[in-house]
Amino acid sequence: MRVLVVGGGGREHAICWKLAQSSKISKLYCAPGNAGIADVAECVPVGAEDIDGICAWASDNNIDLAVIGPEVPLAMGIVDRLNEAGVKTFGPNAKCAQLEASKSFTKAFLARHNIPTAGYREFTDKEELLANVGIYGYPMVLKADGLAAGKGVVIPEDEESAVAAIEEMMGDKVFGNAADKIVVEEFLTGVEASMLCFVDHNTIVPMESAQDYKRIYDGDKGPNTGGMGTYSPSLLFDEDIEKQIREQILLPTLRGFQEDGLDFQGVLFIGLMLSEDGPKVIEFNNRFGDPETQSVLRRMESDLLDVFTAVVDNRLNEIEIKWIDDRAVTVVLASGGYPGSYAKGKVITGLDKVDDDIVVFHAGTKFDEEGRIVTSGGRVLGVTATGATHDEARAKAYANAERIEFEGAYMRKDIGLINR
Ligand code: AMP
Ligand code: GLY
């Protein structure tokens, strides 16, 4: 098969790395890819959000299966367009992609199907929202309805900062039109975990669980990022929690999709709060998580292509997905300054110094004119180690991450140490 992966971050590197192990793939492409992906796939210079470009390239190059990594092209309807062009595609259509592209859509879905989540209200009028500031007390959870590159959730601690945040979101439009509607939620307490699931029209199958570290600094301090590290499986899960998630969240979600005519095919990423009164849904994303995917796919034993083709053919119930017992830990090396502004083009050294069983997934890298690998994003690399125990994997991830250098490199030191 000829397969095209769309995207160019750590998630897409993990997907390509895993697909490249399949004997059924004759040619693997990635658009646009990055310097690490170039090791396992042929990179195609078409941007992930250039829907016309991707569709034309996929048709011209007889692609048998396209796999979409990021949320923005999904929300733009890339799956519908590729299907129209006769290209089978792994990922949800535009209608289903609203589950990530609109918080309000998802909250209504969860409420309609009695799936545990925070209570909420939504506002489109700034004055009305200001008149209701602190309706659930503080901290106040404010969510831009639309896509805002993972930054659209603001959680002010008091009334003064809540008013300022509302002014920025609705008055100054810091998230553009994404905050024309704001969802206000009850503040949930507990520990968060990520659950990625394969979904087709008949079946939902959770992957191994994962823990993500969203804040930039140790101790879960500082601003949110795309994710500074991850481990799998989550040490917070046990059979009881898994059963509750299955019965109260996964099965009602699948039934809800069927009742609402949401023909979901792809990955449903469920952000969970493991609260005192059970697991609750914080959010849905409709794609693999990043960096969760790096730890999770590192532990997949089955052929990922078999899973993708089963999903697009609605045969997910016919296959068994196997995982290795080893634990995985991924430590992200980020550019100094991220998630604020940061420099690019810093030469990366030491990539050849890592041990043989370590996989360094590239998130923000490219080749410079001299053919050197340089930084090109906020999150640069995801150093992924496995081990018979969680602590062994963690020690290996850090020992190897220390060998890689670039100017301004930053990593958290407590990935896999806290939230376990
Ligand atoms: P989201 O973009 O929806 O994942 O939200 C980003 C982060 O905000 C989450 O990972 C949580 O840490 C936090 N968050 C979102 N909703 C809530 C909530 N209702 N209660 C507490 N924290 C929340
Ligand atoms: N790591 C969180 C996300 O992919 O949205």
Side-chain angles (χ1 to χ4, degrees):
M1 281 180 83
R2 296 167 59 78
V3 177
L4 169 68
V5 175
V6 174
R11 162 183 46 217
E12 288 77 22
H13 191 181
I15 294 170
C16 287
W17 170 84
K18 186 65 196 156
L19 284 176
Q21 296 165 15
S22 173
S23 58
K24 295 164 192 140
I25 296 183
S26 54
K27 188 76 196 175
L28 180 61
Y29 297 96
C30 186
N34 64 36
I37 292 173
D39 264 351
V40 289
E42 184 176 327
C43 296
V44 178
V46 183
E49 293 169 24
D50 176 0
I51 310 288
D52 290 339
I54 297 276
C55 289
W57 193 92
S59 314
D60 290 350
N61 289 277
N62 300 316
I63 292 300
D64 300 303
L65 179 76
V67 178
I68 313 303
E71 63 274 18
V72 172
L74 289 169
M76 291 166 81
I78 192 170
V79 174
D80 310 68
R81 289 281 310 280
L82 280 163
N83 284 337
E84 278 158 31
V87 181
K88 276 194 178 181
T89 305
F90 178 87
N93 59 27
K95 188 175 173 194
C96 295
Q98 291 175 90
L99 290 164
E100 177 163 4
S102 166
K103 305 264 188 210
S104 151
F105 182 89
T106 294
K107 292 303 281 190
F109 174 87
L110 294 169
R112 190 161 58 242
H113 299 288
N114 291 314
I115 298 167
T117 188
Y120 77 109
R121 277 188 59 185
E122 49 189 52
F123 297 87
T124 48
D125 181 67
K126 188 179 84 174
E127 298 312 320
E128 194 192 342
L129 176 52
L130 286 171
N132 283 281
V133 72
I135 35 170
Y136 296 116
Y138 294 92
M140 183 181 186
V141 180
L142 295 163
K143 299 189 171 185
D145 177 50
L147 289 180
K151 299 192 179 122
V153 176
V154 185
I155 308 189
E157 297 284 340
D158 53 36
E159 182 172 330
E160 190 185 342
S161 36
V163 169
I166 293 164
E167 288 292 350
E168 281 179 13
M169 292 169 83
M170 280 189 150
D172 307 339
K173 289 188 175 281
V174 289
F175 301 127
N177 293 334
D180 284 354
K181 188 191 274 184
I182 288 182
V183 172
V184 179
E185 283 186 12
E186 284 169 349
F187 181 78
L188 299 175
T189 50
V191 186
E192 289 177 51
S194 307
M195 179 143 252
L196 312 183
C197 304
F198 290 111
V199 182
D200 71 8
H201 295 174
N202 315 308
T203 312
I204 183 163
V205 179
M207 298 179 219
E208 292 281 280
S209 57
Q211 209 63 32
D212 183 21
Y213 293 80
K214 289 194 171 148
R215 306 292 196 96
I216 185 74
Y217 302 127
D218 284 14
D220 285 339
K221 300 277 184 332
N224 262 321
T225 69
M228 292 301 294
T230 172
Y231 71 81
S232 171
S234 166
L235 300 173
L236 303 165
F237 276 48
D238 56 24
E239 264 178 35
D240 189 39
I241 290 185
E242 281 176 9
K243 183 164 177 275
Q244 284 180 52
I245 293 173
R246 179 154 195 86
E247 288 172 1
Q248 294 168 22
I249 297 176
L250 304 190
L251 296 177
T253 295
L254 181 66
R255 267 199 307 275
F257 286 173
Q258 291 166 341
E259 280 170 29
D260 294 356
L262 292 167
D263 295 330
F264 198 104
Q265 288 178 314
V267 171
L268 182 71
F269 167 139
I270 307 178
L272 292 166
M273 185 69 87
L274 306 177
S275 72
E276 265 180 9
D277 43 341
K280 294 189 176 179
V281 175
I282 299 180
E283 61 165 348
F284 279 163
N285 295 320
N286 47 39
R287 38 129 190 121
F288 281 100
D290 196 358
E292 287 92 332
T293 304
Q294 304 176 30
S295 283
V296 171
L297 288 187
R298 179 68 183 83
R299 299 184 54 236
M300 184 185 266
E301 193 179 325
S302 304
D303 184 329
L304 182 58
L305 183 75
D306 288 343
V307 184
F308 286 163
T309 49
V311 167
V312 297
D313 294 339
N314 291 313
R315 289 185 291 99
L316 189 52
N317 59 343
E318 291 174 17
I319 63 164
E320 189 193 352
I321 305 177
K322 292 201 174 121
W323 306 89
I324 60 171
D325 287 334
D326 277 5
R327 311 289 165 133
V329 173
T330 300
V331 174
V332 169
L333 281 167
S335 299
Y338 172 78
S341 59
Y342 52 84
K344 294 185 186 173
K346 301 296 179 192
V347 176
I348 303 170
T349 58
L351 287 167
D352 52 349
K353 294 204 184 107
V354 301
D355 297 333
D356 287 346
D357 62 340
I358 301 295
V359 188
V360 181
F361 292 114
H362 290 223
T365 68
K366 63 172 195 179
F367 292 106
D368 71 2
E369 277 138 28
E370 293 165 47
R372 298 175 301 186
I373 297 180
V374 299
T375 66
S376 69
R379 290 184 295 168
V380 178
L381 301 164
V383 181
T384 302
T386 48
T389 64
H390 173 86
D391 289 322
E392 185 191 325
R394 178 171 192 277
K396 280 164 72 178
Y398 274 105
N400 282 274
E402 297 284 358
R403 297 179 202 161
I404 302 172
E405 291 178 23
F406 55 89
E407 195 188 315
Y410 169 79
M411 64 178 138
R412 267 181 70 160
K413 294 290 167 62
D414 61 353
I415 303 301
L417 191 62
I418 63 165
N419 302 344
R420 56 185 277 190

